Amino acid sequence: MGLDGVEIVMRTEEEFGVSIADSEAANVRTPGMLIELVLSKLSSELNPQCNSQKAFYILRTAVVALSGADRSRIHPDSELRPLFPGNDHRSVWGELQDQIEARSWPSLERSYFLSGSIIAATLSFYIFCAWLFSISGFGGLQFGLLIALLFMCFFAAACLRFTDSLKKLIPSKIKNFRDLVPYAQTSNQLQWSSAEVRGRVRDIVTGVLALKEDQYREQADFVKDLGLC
């Protein structure tokens, strides 16, 4: 295969999260044969290990599109945060989920400053309530401390609720691609119908070879009919 053929194979691998060996690619002479090869791989790769591999491919493709990172440098242990610098990841995090079509996705987290401020405010509120109840003599010292603790819990819950919309950082538990793969495994893209595979392969082939719609046929020979060199 020439460079166009290599590009078609690479795009197909990324699109469907499958691996096509050179020997397999060499035997593909028509788009229809490529479709059948993809369908056979999708039907045989139903175990969790293969699903995680496909989820990684889908995740990597989306991250590369959003960050402009070098695809060849991204592997399962690549760190995620350095690819998205800045202190506000809300838009890119939502867009990443949309591109992956993940049904489950980790929530963003608050900044260290905001989290520290909530902790400091909560402790200060507790100290104030404990002091207030202690000087009032209401119910005794132990009862006053218990009520202050209860008030502190309500105050902390209110702070967390009202600052929920201020979460804007990629969660610290998601250190690398491997940590995000389980969420990418909920992607709707991991399930392909025959019609969807045919449509995506058509788009890949016509896009790489710059074909018009009426030039594309599944049984057309890549070299003789479609001009692949």
Side-chain angles (χ1 to χ4, degrees):
M1 274 193 174
L3 293 180
D4 286 342
V6 173
E7 182 68 18
I8 289 174
V9 171
M10 290 179 62
R11 290 195 184 185
T12 301
E13 288 179 321
E14 289 185 359
E15 184 72 23
F16 300 105
V18 298
S19 179
I20 299 176
D22 291 342
S23 57
E24 293 174 316
N27 292 324
V28 172
R29 298 188 302 276
T30 68
M33 294 178 68
L34 180 58
I35 290 169
E36 293 303 319
L37 178 60
V38 171
L39 288 173
S40 68
K41 287 182 174 293
L42 291 176
S43 63
S44 64
E45 295 182 352
L46 297 178
N47 61 72
Q49 181 178 358
C50 291
N51 273 339
S52 65
Q53 180 185 14
K54 290 188 288 185
F56 170 73
Y57 287 142
I58 292 171
L59 176 60
R60 182 178 65 179
T61 299
V63 169
V64 168
L66 290 175
S67 68
D70 184 351
R71 182 186 61 196
S72 64
R73 293 179 175 271
I74 295 179
H75 51 81
D77 293 318
S78 296
E79 293 185 9
L80 197 63
R81 275 196 179 185
L83 299 177
F84 300 106
N87 297 316
D88 193 341
H89 300 135
R90 283 174 290 191
S91 61
V92 70
W93 199 239
E95 192 171 351
L96 186 59
Q97 181 183 8
D98 290 342
Q99 287 201 18
I100 294 173
E101 299 180 39
R103 298 182 298 276
S104 176
W105 200 243
S107 299
L108 294 171
E109 67 181 18
R110 299 169 183 82
S111 66
Y112 294 125
F113 174 78
L114 181 58
S115 298
S117 298
I118 292 174
I119 294 174
T122 301
L123 291 177
S124 298
F125 183 76
Y126 172 74
I127 293 172
F128 172 76
C129 289
W131 171 79
L132 188 63
F133 283 119
S134 66
I135 64 172
S136 68
F138 176 73
L141 179 60
Q142 290 185 342
F143 182 74
L145 293 177
L146 181 62
I147 296 298
L149 182 61
L150 184 62
F151 275 36
M152 182 192 73
C153 292
F154 281 116
F155 180 81
C159 287
L160 292 175
R161 180 173 181 178
F162 286 114
T163 60
D164 197 60
S165 61
L166 299 179
K167 293 179 178 179
K168 58 182 182 179
L169 294 178
I170 294 175
S172 54
K173 66 179 181 180
I174 307 296
K175 295 181 174 59
N176 51 41
F177 278 73
R178 192 183 302 276
D179 296 330
L180 198 53
V181 162
Y183 297 95
Q185 284 183 274
T186 67
S187 170
N188 293 324
Q189 298 177 32
L190 289 179
Q191 298 178 352
W192 297 94
S193 67
S194 175
E196 287 173 330
V197 172
R198 294 180 186 278
R200 296 294 181 94
V201 169
R202 180 195 61 220
D203 293 341
I204 292 171
V205 173
T206 56
V208 173
L209 300 180
L211 300 175
K212 295 180 180 179
E213 288 294 330
D214 57 358
Q215 293 178 292
Y216 175 83
R217 290 180 295 108
E218 289 186 3
Q219 301 310 317
D221 187 282
F222 274 121
V223 177
K224 295 179 180 179
D225 302 320
L226 301 181
L228 179 67
C229 56

